[in-house]
Amino acid sequence: MDLNPLHSFLGYGDFRNAEFLVISKHEGANNEKLEQELDARINYFGLEKEYWLDGEKRLNGYWHPSAKKAGEIKRKLFGEEEKYTNRFPDVVKYPARMLFALEEALRINSMASIDKWFKGADEISEDVKNKLNDSYEDMYSYTRISNWKTALSHYQPLLRAAQSWPYTELKKSDYKNVFEKTVRLENPGFAAWRKKREEILADLLKEYPKKVIFCTGNFQKDNDSDSLKDFFEREFQADLNPFGFNGKLKGLYGEFSYNNQRTVVIHTQGLGTGGGLAYDEVCKITKVIYRKLKRGKSM
């Protein structure tokens, strides 16, 4: 089983020009069949050189320019049904609110304007609701929302909740552990997989620095054991510090500079349903990002 092409798949969006990069720690599957998903990514996504990180070798990093169009390819190949006709995932809805809120706050120089983007269904204004609803389709494509270019990647590049696990030679739990810092990677193949993934992410961020990196999902509250924290500290000498609300630890935040580009990094637990961050908490995190951006040059 050759998973190297999978570990080289960065995700969806405009990875060269994105200013706002979302990195989900683990990827949900929405009940896709794992074999089909792997087939699509390895054999149909990122075949053109313009979507290769170095323009020379696909396995050095590749992506698909649009999550929506990638979904259309899968439906044509496998006859899957449209899953987000009336509902978009949290990894779309929350960043969309963050992006609109940050853009407006930076433009009018007012952090107070951020609050209106994170109201609940009964409090949100019609204008804001309509703008968000209109944007979700673009955000799902992960190309551009308003004046921001975006991209979506995953630290662990394999489906977390697939219907089935077809590989008898590889346990699902073993593969998940490849991307956890606390696990000793005695299997040289497992160690090579994580090294490959981190090298590609590091090459991306060094060649095409981002202004904001928002990491979400499976944040380790014992931050000394968090693999993403270790990645940013090791590769970029980032200084990430814990933050929380009401006495509860919610994530890490900090920044680093590379090639004269200052990058704000936020790493939190998951979003929305299932015990993730609520809108009011993401609102507070957005204000943290705003203050850090405001201290430097505006986007």
Side-chain angles (χ1 to χ4, degrees):
M1 173 177 51
D2 183 12
L3 289 181
N4 284 315
L6 180 70
H7 298 135
S8 301
F9 179 65
L10 279 164
Y12 308 97
D14 186 346
F15 279 87
R16 288 193 180 91
N17 299 305
E19 298 167 307
F20 190 101
L21 173 64
V22 178
I23 300 179
S24 179
K25 183 74 178 291
H26 298 296
E27 184 175 1
N30 300 300
N31 293 320
E32 287 101 336
K33 292 182 174 62
L34 182 58
E35 306 97 312
Q36 294 180 351
E37 185 68 28
L38 292 176
D39 182 22
R41 295 185 188 196
I42 293 172
N43 297 313
Y44 295 92
F45 295 172
L47 299 180
E48 301 87 354
K49 285 189 176 182
E50 64 181 301
Y51 306 128
W52 298 359
L53 184 58
D54 63 7
E56 297 294 329
K57 188 176 180 182
R58 183 169 177 256
L59 291 187
N60 288 339
Y62 69 98
W63 62 85
H64 194 285
S66 166
K68 181 183 179 186
K69 291 181 180 178
E72 292 171 355
I73 289 174
K74 288 189 292 182
R75 286 191 292 279
K76 288 179 181 178
L77 288 172
F78 312 123
E80 295 179 347
E81 297 180 358
E82 173 61 65
K83 293 179 175 61
Y84 299 128
T85 301
N86 297 312
R87 180 183 179 275
F88 291 91
D90 292 329
V91 77
V92 167
K93 294 190 295 184
Y94 283 74
R97 291 181 182 237
M98 296 174 73
L99 287 167
F100 275 125
L102 285 170
E103 182 188 49
E104 181 180 60
L106 290 168
R107 186 181 70 248
I108 67 175
N109 194 27
S110 172
M111 189 170 68
S113 68
I114 291 174
D115 291 313
K116 71 179 183 182
W117 295 98
F118 295 93
K119 301 292 186 182
D122 297 333
E123 299 176 293
I124 197 167
S125 70
E126 285 299 316
D127 287 346
V128 170
K129 183 186 298 184
N130 290 337
K131 192 167 185 178
L132 286 169
N133 288 335
D134 290 343
S135 78
Y136 288 153
E137 190 77 16
D138 292 331
M139 191 67 199
Y140 182 42
S141 295
Y142 269 93
T143 50
R144 178 186 287 275
I145 176 171
S146 191
N147 293 323
W148 300 62
K149 289 186 177 180
T150 59
L152 168 68
S153 190
H154 299 87
Y155 178 67
Q156 175 187 308
L158 191 63
L159 307 175
R160 174 170 49 86
Q163 285 181 336
S164 61
W165 186 262
Y167 304 112
T168 56
E169 69 271 38
L170 174 64
K171 293 181 180 179
K172 185 176 179 180
S173 58
D174 286 344
Y175 185 83
K176 179 180 177 181
N177 286 337
V178 169
F179 297 90
E180 299 300 333
K181 183 185 174 186
T182 53
V183 176
R184 294 180 61 188
L185 298 179
E186 296 175 352
N187 183 314
F190 291 178
W193 281 346
R194 186 161 86 185
K195 181 180 178 182
K196 173 73 170 179
R197 187 61 176 173
E198 292 187 343
E199 284 178 347
I200 287 176
L201 286 172
D203 288 346
L204 166 70
L205 298 177
K206 291 173 181 178
E207 184 69 20
Y208 303 102
K210 309 306 174 194
K211 293 180 179 175
V212 177
I213 302 175
F214 178 60
C215 305
T216 178
N218 202 32
F219 160 69
Q220 299 295 317
K221 293 187 177 181
D222 173 10
N223 58 51
D224 288 335
S225 69
D226 190 278
S227 49
L228 265 176
K229 178 177 184 287
D230 179 68
F231 166 74
F232 284 114
E233 290 180 339
R234 184 180 67 253
E235 293 291 338
F236 299 98
Q237 293 74 55
D239 183 18
L240 300 184
N241 301 291
F243 71 90
F245 311 121
N246 300 320
K248 294 183 179 180
L249 187 63
K250 294 295 183 179
L252 303 166
Y253 76 99
E255 57 192 85
F256 64 85
S257 294
Y258 193 87
N259 282 347
N260 297 317
Q261 171 64 61
R262 182 167 156 271
T263 299
V264 177
V265 179
I266 303 286
H267 178 24
T268 75
Q269 62 188 72
L271 300 170
T273 56
L277 297 174
Y279 281 140
D280 64 324
E281 294 175 314
V282 179
C283 180
K284 294 176 182 177
I285 291 169
T286 304
K287 291 179 179 179
V288 170
I289 298 174
Y290 169 80
R291 286 193 292 268
K292 285 189 169 291
L293 291 175
K294 195 63 181 176
R295 200 173 70 230
K297 293 181 179 179
S298 298
M299 291 188 180

